[in-house]
């Protein structure tokens, strides 16, 4: 049983009522961040997504989707209270499909070897389709350019990454 629920609950306990907190940065600088969470995905939405895409999502990632169908974590807030970016975006099912199609646009008939599930800074967080098929437990990739030669295998599954 994935511990995603406990990880998210513990994290949310650190947020104030506006879903923000102060975090420490380099050289002792403090920054204000804010988070936002989408509503959960339903079992039917996940099943339809898997049927349409022909991907079987990992159980720990599905556990996250049942809690939040995407979220934005650690988005920076400036002195005026405006959101200025940064952080980690975890895509909704719809955003995953859109990101996949956008990345595949140059060669629409060639399947990509990954499922783009989010973005952090200028990089993409993705699930390796090859590792899913071989049931390797640590299936996450990070990359700046969607090409196999630029993948960084981060040796984590989604549950451990989020934790």
């Amino acid at each position: 049983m994935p511990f995603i629920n406990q990880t998210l609950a513990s994290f949310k306990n650190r947020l104030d009522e506006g879903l923000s907190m102060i975090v420490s940065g380099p050289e002792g600088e403090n920054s204000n961040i804010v988070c936002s969470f989408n509503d959960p995905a339903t079992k039917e939405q996940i099943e339809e997504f898997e049927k349409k895409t022909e991907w079987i999502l990992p159980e720990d990632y599905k556990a996250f989707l049942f809690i939040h169908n995407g979220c934005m974590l650690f988005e920076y807030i400036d002195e005026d209270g405006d959101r200025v970016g940064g952080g980690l975006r975890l895509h909704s099912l719809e955003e995953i499909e859109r990101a996949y199609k956008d990345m595949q646009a140059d060669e629409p008939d060639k399947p990509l070897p990954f499922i783009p599930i989010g973005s952090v800074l200028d990089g993409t967080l993705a699930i390796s389709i090859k590792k899913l098929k071989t049931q390797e437990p640590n299936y996450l990739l990070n990359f700046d350019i969607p090409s196999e030669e630029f993948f960084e295998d981060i040796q984590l599954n989604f549950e451990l990454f989020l934790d």
Side-chain angles (χ1 to χ4, degrees):
M1 177 88 174
F3 53 85
I4 298 242
N5 199 12
Q6 294 128 299
T7 299
L8 285 168
S10 177
F11 176 71
K12 288 177 189 177
N13 282 334
R14 298 179 54 213
L15 300 172
D16 65 21
E17 53 279 346
L19 298 178
S20 65
M21 75 168 117
I22 297 173
V23 294
S24 298
E27 301 177 13
E29 187 175 318
N30 289 331
S31 300
N32 291 316
I33 61 97
V34 68
C35 301
S36 57
F37 301 93
N38 296 351
D39 290 334
T42 65
K43 181 179 180 185
E44 293 77 21
Q45 287 172 314
I46 294 171
E47 287 173 351
E48 182 181 320
F49 175 86
E50 289 180 321
K51 184 178 179 184
K52 183 179 1 176
T53 61
E54 297 181 2
W55 300 323
I56 303 301
L57 297 173
E59 291 303 315
D60 60 340
Y61 187 66
K62 285 187 208 180
F64 166 74
L65 293 170
F66 283 127
I67 301 167
H68 296 294
N69 185 13
C71 67
M72 181 68 190
L73 304 176
F74 300 105
E75 184 174 18
Y76 287 98
I77 305 170
D78 67 13
E79 306 81 39
D80 298 324
D82 295 325
R83 294 173 184 229
V84 293
L88 168 65
R89 171 171 297 288
L90 296 172
H91 298 319
S92 67
L93 293 170
E94 297 79 18
E95 290 169 328
I96 291 170
E97 283 188 78
R98 198 172 323 120
Y100 185 88
K101 287 177 184 172
D102 289 348
M103 290 178 170
Q104 194 184 29
D106 291 338
E107 298 182 63
D109 295 329
K110 182 180 177 189
L112 298 175
F114 57 83
I115 304 165
I117 63 167
S119 58
V120 60
L121 301 174
D122 292 330
T124 297
L125 181 66
I127 294 172
S128 166
I129 293 173
K130 176 182 175 184
K131 288 185 175 203
L132 280 184
K133 288 181 179 178
T134 59
Q135 297 183 339
E136 291 181 48
N138 298 321
Y139 53 77
L140 284 183
L141 306 170
N142 186 32
F143 58 88
D144 293 331
I145 301 169
S147 168
E148 285 189 72
E149 62 195 64
F150 295 103
F151 288 154
E152 175 190 358
D153 186 341
I154 58 177
Q155 294 296 304
L156 294 171
N157 60 31
F158 184 78
E159 177 177 55
L160 293 174
F161 172 80
L162 191 63
D163 190 48

